[in-house]
Amino acid sequence: RPLRPENHNVQAAKFDKEAGLWTITCETMEAKEVIIKARVMVCADGAGSGLATKLGIVTTPPDGVCSRQFLEGKTHKFGADGVVFYNKEMLPGYAALFKHPNDQVNFCTYLIPGSPNVKNEDCAKWHEFLEHKDPVVKGYLGPDHRWTEPVRVAGLRLGGVKVSYMDHGILIGD
């Protein structure tokens, strides 16, 4: 039966060339150790991938940063499927709103190096600035919008890594 390891923290991964198998040691949320054998391993844990870093594929920190926060459906004024905003204060970064089929809206900001006024550690600040001060974003959110979650911030890897694959494995994502 397929294993769904979303709530497993990878502790180690070792590839056996002769067997063509990865042995992946994980810890569950309940602190139980789980060993997974796999023919292919996909590192899809973001720009700061802990596993890809341990394996030597990722050797530098993320370049930029992004935020995400979902709006509850029917509490916003957003009618489009998706819109990208370029606020001059945060260029070359940008923000975006994307509507999902359940009418929830994903509000994101993307901070990209290039402006002396924009620092990665200020991502949540820029997210809140756009929510409360940018007239276009504020208008689409509407006065009665409600969030389904707090702001989440994660690193962005711009330009990728030199090599994003390994024997029976690949690194994907931001």
Side-chain angles (χ1 to χ4, degrees):
R1 82 177 209 259
L3 178 65
R4 298 185 54 94
E6 291 92 358
N7 293 318
H8 291 53
N9 293 315
V10 176
Q11 304 298 311
K14 184 169 171 62
F15 184 66
D16 179 338
K17 282 188 180 220
E18 190 174 305
L21 288 173
W22 282 96
T23 300
I24 305 162
T25 305
C26 302
E27 186 177 285
T28 67
M29 300 303 276
E30 297 80 29
K32 178 182 170 191
E33 185 176 274
V34 175
I35 305 293
I36 299 169
K37 298 278 187 176
R39 293 208 180 277
V40 176
M41 180 176 65
V42 178
C43 296
D45 55 339
S49 175
L51 182 55
T53 301
K54 285 179 186 178
L55 294 171
I57 296 169
V58 171
T59 59
T60 59
D63 311 289
V65 68
C66 63
S67 65
R68 176 195 94 192
Q69 192 173 29
F70 278 93
L71 285 160
E72 186 178 312
K74 311 287 188 237
T75 69
H76 55 80
K77 302 286 186 200
F78 190 63
D81 289 333
V83 176
V84 175
F85 304 93
Y86 295 94
N87 182 291
K88 67 179 181 177
E89 302 298 323
M90 61 184 282
L91 287 172
Y94 58 96
L97 292 169
F98 302 107
K99 189 185 290 186
H100 290 248
N102 62 1
D103 199 52
Q104 284 189 339
V105 173
N106 186 2
F107 173 43
C108 307
T109 59
Y110 300 88
L111 301 186
I112 298 171
S115 170
N117 301 325
V118 178
K119 296 179 178 67
N120 285 349
E121 58 268 19
D122 294 335
C123 190
K125 179 189 90 169
W126 281 103
H127 189 97
E128 290 177 23
F129 169 80
L130 293 170
E131 175 188 358
H132 298 290
K133 303 290 185 193
D134 184 284
V136 179
V137 174
K138 188 176 176 181
Y140 277 130
L141 298 179
D144 301 319
H145 69 277
R146 288 192 305 268
W147 301 110
T148 64
E149 63 180 358
V151 176
R152 295 178 186 215
V153 176
L156 285 175
R157 186 163 304 285
L158 307 169
V161 294
K162 189 172 183 175
V163 177
S164 61
Y165 58 89
M166 63 208 117
D167 285 338
H168 294 246
I170 189 166
L171 169 67
I172 63 169
D174 297 329

